Amino acid sequence: MEQDKYLLGMTLAEIANEVELLKLPKFTAKQIADWVYVKRVTKIDEMTNISVRNRDILKKKFEVGGSLPIETQVSEDGTQKLLFKTKKGKLIESVLIPDEERLTLCISAQVGCKMNCDFCMTGKMGFQDNLSVNEILNQVYASPNSEDLTNIVFMGMGEPLDNYENVMKSIEILTADYSLAWSPKRITVSTIGVTPKLERFLEESACHLAISLHSPISEQRQTIMPIEKKYPIAEIIELLSRYDWSKQRRLSFEYIMFDGLNDSLIYARELIKLLSGIYCRVNLIRFHAIPGSSLKTASDEAMIKFRDFLTSKGLICTIRTSRGEDISAACGMLSTEKQNEAKKSAE
């Protein structure tokens, strides 16, 4: 029997439609959704308030569709890197970050990435595939201590807005009453700035937004982020300026600091100009060195000086604590390593 559909990743409306096609009682749809998304079962046979006969009917067409990580690395600071295999045999990563009262899961939206940023290992993999809704949600449900998660960040492998429909459907399910019923404020979507999809996101979602900035100067940003040529940061800022960010959702800018490239106060001053009039925060990030890139992380002294200058000008700015560096927690590192190992074994 070929099982070609997964319940994990279906909305309640989609489940209800399938229940109707299978001529099962209408209330079965809510039962299924509750078992999958609330009780977190992994097999249809665990849905004990559905009759054995009806479970057998379901099993002929569906399976829950969850899968555990194939490898887990644990950092000295408690950060966990999770390696998953997709239905097509590709490798993706998630990172679980404990921090006092918070437990954040950083999840992937794609295998590889089209954007080819110079500082990103995932970009150097090239684009291989979009993750399905099932594969996106599986990272959430199969992570250790998943019931204790407080926040989810789409900041793993890939560009979330380049897989827009599946990312948004995943968010729809996570925030639905029949599922985890999470507030959208517990979810952050990080994007390089794919302007047409970003405009849709701003209208269709209430989740927090993080923009990968890394340089306030367009010409320089192009050298490390080729997307700048197609979607200039100035256009992104103009779009963001149409919205009131002082209430409800949060807007932040991610700024990886590179030694001798973007870490002087010249760039801090340009950043102040660029973000003028927008209520936001800037997260300064230490660079995790990756193979094939000449970029180096800025010194602690430079980062503190940069932060203090922005703060003195009224811009909320923090230096993000570096996590999981001993397990190569930067996106794409583990999956690339495993792919290279597989290639060598095949030779």
Side-chain angles (χ1 to χ4, degrees):
M1 182 268 307
E2 182 180 350
Q3 299 194 341
D4 57 358
K5 289 193 177 180
Y6 304 108
L7 296 171
L8 180 65
M10 295 176 67
T11 65
L12 178 58
E14 289 172 333
I15 295 172
N17 183 62
E18 295 293 342
V19 162
E20 183 178 358
L21 292 174
L22 293 173
K23 295 181 169 46
L24 300 179
K26 287 186 178 181
F27 58 79
T28 309
K30 288 187 177 180
Q31 290 176 321
I32 293 170
D34 185 66
W35 282 113
V36 172
Y37 294 117
V38 180
K39 296 184 175 69
R40 301 166 185 251
V41 300
T42 58
K43 296 178 181 178
I44 290 174
D45 277 332
E46 297 176 271
M47 302 178 182
T48 52
N49 62 350
I50 299 175
S51 72
V52 173
R53 174 186 174 276
N54 289 345
R55 274 183 267 158
D56 288 340
I57 292 172
L58 283 171
K59 286 190 294 182
K60 290 178 181 178
K61 189 171 183 180
F62 300 103
E63 59 184 64
V64 174
S67 61
L68 294 173
I70 61 171
E71 185 173 326
T72 300
Q73 294 184 352
V74 183
S75 168
E76 293 177 356
D77 62 24
T79 300
Q80 296 185 49
K81 170 158 273 195
L82 312 172
L83 186 68
F84 291 93
K85 183 174 285 188
T86 70
K87 298 297 189 290
K88 297 178 183 177
K90 305 289 187 180
L91 298 177
I92 58 166
E93 303 170 22
S94 305
V95 180
L96 189 65
I97 308 169
D99 185 15
E100 297 180 354
E101 301 300 315
R102 294 165 62 95
L103 184 62
T104 301
L105 183 66
C106 183
I107 63 177
S108 297
Q110 296 180 313
V111 184
C113 186
K114 299 175 185 176
M115 304 306 162
N116 196 28
C117 296
D118 190 36
F119 49 82
C120 179
M121 197 68 195
T122 305
K124 294 185 181 302
M125 294 170 62
F127 175 73
Q128 298 182 31
D129 204 0
N130 280 322
L131 295 188
S132 66
V133 180
N134 170 270
E135 290 161 340
I136 293 171
L137 290 180
N138 183 64
Q139 295 171 76
V140 178
Y141 279 84
S143 69
N145 306 114
S146 62
E147 293 183 5
D148 298 325
L149 288 175
T150 60
N151 300 87
I152 291 172
V153 184
F154 283 85
M155 202 179 285
M157 296 171 65
E159 163 56 56
L161 298 191
D162 196 40
N163 188 16
Y164 186 83
E165 302 298 339
N166 288 346
V167 166
M168 293 300 290
K169 185 176 173 183
S170 300
I171 292 171
E172 176 190 347
I173 292 172
L174 288 169
T175 56
D177 289 342
Y178 60 81
S179 180
L180 298 185
W182 270 31
S183 164
K185 310 304 184 296
R186 295 172 66 177
I187 301 171
T188 299
V189 174
S190 176
T191 176
I192 200 172
V194 182
T195 309
K197 297 293 177 63
L198 177 58
E199 190 163 10
R200 281 189 63 187
F201 175 82
L202 292 171
E203 293 297 326
E204 297 172 4
S205 171
C207 294
H208 294 318
L209 176 67
I211 301 291
S212 295
L213 178 56
H214 313 311
S215 177
I217 299 173
S218 179
E219 292 77 12
Q220 185 192 60
R221 192 171 186 257
Q222 284 185 35
T223 66
I224 57 173
M225 302 174 71
I227 195 68
E228 171 69 15
K229 296 176 183 178
K230 187 171 183 179
Y231 301 121
I233 190 61
E235 291 184 5
I236 297 169
I237 297 298
E238 193 281 325
L239 172 60
L240 296 173
S241 68
R242 302 175 200 168
Y243 295 82
D244 181 4
W245 297 96
S246 62
K247 301 175 183 178
Q248 299 180 343
R249 61 180 167 188
R250 182 176 65 242
L251 172 64
S252 59
F253 290 89
E254 309 296 311
Y255 194 94
I256 300 176
M257 293 196 68
F258 305 107
D259 181 45
L261 181 73
N262 66 351
D263 60 343
S264 74
L265 293 188
I266 293 172
Y267 298 94
R269 293 186 181 95
E270 291 299 319
L271 204 53
I272 292 291
K273 292 178 187 176
L274 182 69
L275 303 180
S276 176
I278 298 179
Y279 185 83
C280 62
R281 65 182 64 198
V282 174
N283 294 321
L284 304 182
I285 303 171
R286 291 179 176 84
F287 176 55
H288 287 247
I290 63 170
S293 176
S294 61
L295 296 169
K296 297 179 180 179
T297 191
S299 67
D300 288 349
E301 180 183 2
M303 294 187 74
I304 292 169
K305 191 174 181 181
F306 201 97
R307 177 200 64 191
D308 291 348
F309 179 83
L310 294 182
T311 301
S312 72
K313 299 300 181 181
L315 189 58
I316 301 170
C317 182
T318 59
I319 297 175
R320 181 179 295 165
T321 303
S322 185
R323 303 294 299 268
E325 196 155 6
D326 58 311
I327 57 169
S328 300
C331 296
M333 293 287 280
L334 181 57
S335 56
T336 298
E337 176 187 324
K338 295 301 176 183
Q339 285 180 358
N340 290 338
E341 288 177 4
K343 288 179 182 177
K344 288 180 181 179
S345 298
E347 290 174 353

